[in-house]
Amino acid sequence: MRSRRSTSRWWPVLCAVTVLMLMSPLGASAQDAVLYVSPSGDDAHPGTLEQPMQSVAAAFNRAEAGRQIRLLPGRYLGINRLRLNQGAPERPIVIRGHSTHPDSLAIIDGQGQPGLEQSNACFLLAGVHWVVIQDLSFRNCWTDAINIAGSSYITIAGNDFLGSRRAVQPTSGTHHVLVEHNTFEQDERVWTTWAWDDLHHGEREPLGHFNGALLHPKESDGGHVMRGNLVKNVFNGFRTRPERLNEDANIEVYDNTFVNVRDNALEPEGYVWNHHYFRNRLYNSRKSFSIDEVEGGGVYIWGNVQWQEARPTLGPSTRGGGAQSISGLWKFHESARLDTVWIFNNSFFTKARVFKDLRRPFSNIYHVNNAYAFFDGGGWGLDHWEPSYTFDHDCANLQPASVLRNNGASLHSVTTDDLFTDPLEGDLRLTPQSPCRDAGTVLSLPAFGWTQSFSGAAPDIGSFEDTTWVEGPPFRYQEPPGGDGFDERPRITRHRAEADRLTLHFSAPLDVATVSAAAVQVFVDAAPVPVIAATLRSDGYTLDLATAAPLSEARLTLAMDPLPLGTNGQPATHWASTVPYALGLSTTRPTAARSTIPPPQPPRLSLYPNPSTGPTSLAFTMERAGPIQINLYDLTGRRLYTATRTLAPGRHIYRLEVATLPAGLYLLRLRTPARSTTQTLTVVR
């Protein structure tokens, strides 16, 4: 149900958009497919490749639905204000870099200095809808790289963010922001050097401007998705603290990789409603999940993996003195009026306590089917009990905490040392001989139409069923108390392709009268596969398709035309679908987060290609002659390769062969007389 709060607030904006669209002249150049922009262009130009415009904002004002704005290589200085324009459903306005080569990037430079609440944001969006921002590099954007107000259906994809307190902040009635396949890094010293106390609380600490996140909604209307991102050397990964229960609701955070998170990887505070955190990989996160003084609806945490190196290098705490350590997995603090926190089928390899804090009154924890391997210390850290708690069917190499045993909990938990395949490498699949296989309990969440599937006698404990990711409940929109500022468009939140069957799960129920096999087009490698039947299940959320040939999920695309309607009368959308849109305009998604982040000062290090399957070239500039050292590490800190050279000033290229390395994330460090630079290298197979 649409709330009066949001409708009245943005009615003048919507009227202004309509007037702007009616008054805009559509000359011949405005009908072209692409508008080009260059720092050396001119806004009087037609926006062709030969005669590009200069201003992103001017090109955006000229663009209409379905247009692409291509930013040619160079540095775009100052603030880009994008206002009162919109694409259309399935036909967004796309603003993207013309090249993704590390030496040919479009760099958005806010020209700001680090500090609290600085005004040098790189992109300010206000009253815009159906827009994609993709394949750009953001630098010196303080306090926010992208601030979004009163907007909807915004996609932020494949960008590099270096610095900034908040890379993406939806606020003031904004709903449905997709943040996917981006790389966000604040500063390596956030993890290794600076004191936590100096970073923590805003104006009271000298480095408080780093207390932000990749996605940090603030009093937005919610509906946001954060997936497939690489987040490293940051204070937080995802954070929100709304003032009302119906703000920042209906959130999904999944399939992200977090490396070196100084405070919390995932931190909802204040109010939550229908938050889902699943299948994230966390390496060296000081505290993983923090639910602090929270009220509201359910939080669902499942299928996540966390591991750590033996002796991570953390900065100190000025209060506690000395270096800090990875201190806990769960911080649950004074949330008596929070509905259930569901914690199931997660896997951890750690020397930390499970519970960094569990302070009363915190109620309604459902903790089952979780796997823990403790090394060099660690333990449960659990000394508080509430009758609303459920702890059982967990697997660990330490017996359950005494408070659990004393209250008759964990009767079916397993104590064993035989857990994970290769925990030092982050492979937390169970070994074939593990007693934790077939030792879990079957879970069911009727609100999501979900009962846990498994093979064998019972579900496996931990994040994997056999060798594949465990499957939890599909996301479904749930209206918060007080209503949202929008009516949910049904979108595909999960899909499964098996042989000649394709199952689509939607965020909102469909009207069966608007569903037909003829309206669904399925493609594998761009070749059409006819749909011969479409059956909507009785709950309205799940659509089963039968196809004329077997499907390959990895090479699958889909288009619906006409779009089916939801039972609320809203048309469905391909926005944020887990199946790529066959026409390629809804989201032109990269396949992986780009991890090339040039540092702000020499030596600039570029890796190409990255991700890589074989030889990788390291390109860097020496300001003066001297020795260099190149080291390659895995994520446990083990050095795999080293080389030293003495080089003259100028540009250099070093070739590194990675064909023999297993697929995964690696850290490459270049040391020169001037400084040390670390980049993330992704090896794929």
Side-chain angles (χ1 to χ4, degrees), residues 305 347 428-430 460-470:
V305 167
S347 295
L428 302 194
R429 294 173 296 178
L430 297 175
D460 292 346
I461 296 176
S463 301
F464 300 92
E465 180 64 29
D466 195 10
T467 59
T468 61
W469 286 102
V470 69

Side-chain angles (χ1 to χ4, degrees), residues 313-548:
T313 305
L314 280 78
S317 167
T318 57
R319 296 174 189 172
Q324 288 186 305
S325 63
I326 294 175
S327 57
L329 309 178
W330 313 104
K331 178 188 175 185
F332 293 165
H333 181 195
E334 296 180 358
S335 300
R337 290 183 287 179
L338 175 67
D339 198 356
T340 305
V341 178
W342 300 80
I343 306 167
F344 58 92
N345 287 99
N346 301 281
S347 295
F348 302 92
F349 176 71
T350 184
K351 60 190 296 184
R353 293 169 290 170
V354 173
F355 289 93
K356 197 275 182 184
D357 284 304
L358 182 58
R359 302 183 192 175
R360 66 182 69 195
F362 193 107
S363 59
N364 300 319
I365 298 175
Y366 188 88
H367 181 284
V368 299
N369 292 355
N370 298 289
Y372 297 92
F374 302 104
F375 70 96
D376 191 22
W380 289 96
L382 177 63
D383 56 10
H384 174 59
W385 180 258
E386 295 282 344
S388 60
Y389 292 173
T390 297
F391 281 76
D392 208 355
H393 291 278
D394 298 313
C395 188
N397 57 347
L398 294 178
Q399 65 176 348
S402 59
V403 70
L404 300 179
R405 301 194 308 270
N406 294 340
N407 286 277
S410 290
L411 297 178
H412 303 95
S413 293
V414 179
T415 303
T416 177
D417 290 326
D418 193 6
L419 285 177
F420 301 133
T421 299
D422 193 351
L424 287 173
E425 299 292 339
D427 185 351
L428 302 194
R429 294 173 296 178
L430 297 175
T431 60
Q433 301 79 25
S434 173
C436 306
R437 285 180 176 261
D438 294 350
T441 186
V442 179
L443 304 180
S444 181
L445 290 170
F448 299 95
W450 174 76
T451 297
Q452 190 170 13
S453 60
F454 59 92
S455 59
D460 292 346
I461 296 176
S463 301
F464 300 92
E465 180 64 29
D466 195 10
T467 59
T468 61
W469 286 102
V470 69
E471 196 165 279
F475 176 85
R476 290 182 177 180
Y477 167 84
Q478 296 182 341
E479 183 176 325
D484 263 326
F486 59 88
D487 294 317
E488 175 76 2
R489 288 174 175 260
R491 62 179 180 85
I492 300 171
T493 62
R494 181 174 301 168
H495 70 279
R496 171 175 289 193
E498 291 182 317
D500 58 355
R501 295 289 187 271
L502 177 61
T503 300
L504 306 176
H505 297 272
F506 287 82
S507 63
L510 300 178
D511 180 350
V512 66
T514 66
V515 173
S516 71
V520 184
Q521 305 168 61
V522 175
F523 302 85
V524 174
D525 289 334
V529 179
V531 177
I532 58 179
T535 305
L536 186 65
R537 297 184 191 175
S538 59
D539 61 11
Y541 288 91
T542 308
L543 182 62
D544 295 305
L545 305 176
T547 58

Side-chain angles (χ1 to χ4, degrees), residues 120-147:
N120 295 77
C122 283
F123 273 25
L124 293 175
L125 280 62
V128 305
H129 310 275
W130 301 99
V131 171
V132 176
I133 298 173
Q134 180 174 332
D135 294 335
L136 303 175
S137 292
F138 290 83
R139 302 291 181 269
N140 305 316
C141 306
W142 293 94
T143 296
D144 302 333
I146 301 177
N147 186 281

Side-chain angles (χ1 to χ4, degrees), residues 596-660:
T596 302
I597 302 183
Q601 55 184 316
R604 176 177 176 181
L605 169 63
S606 299
L607 303 180
Y608 189 80
N610 188 17
S612 177
T613 59
T616 294
S617 295
L618 286 65
F620 56 93
T621 299
M622 293 282 288
E623 296 298 303
R624 60 180 186 272
I628 69 158
Q629 184 178 65
I630 298 170
N631 293 305
L632 184 68
Y633 302 88
D634 62 20
L635 289 185
T636 68
R638 182 176 58 178
R639 187 164 63 184
L640 306 176
Y641 175 85
T642 188
T644 57
R645 299 285 189 277
T646 299
L647 300 176
R651 188 74 167 161
H652 298 275
I653 297 179
Y654 185 87
R655 189 178 175 89
L656 179 66
E657 180 59 64
V658 298
T660 60

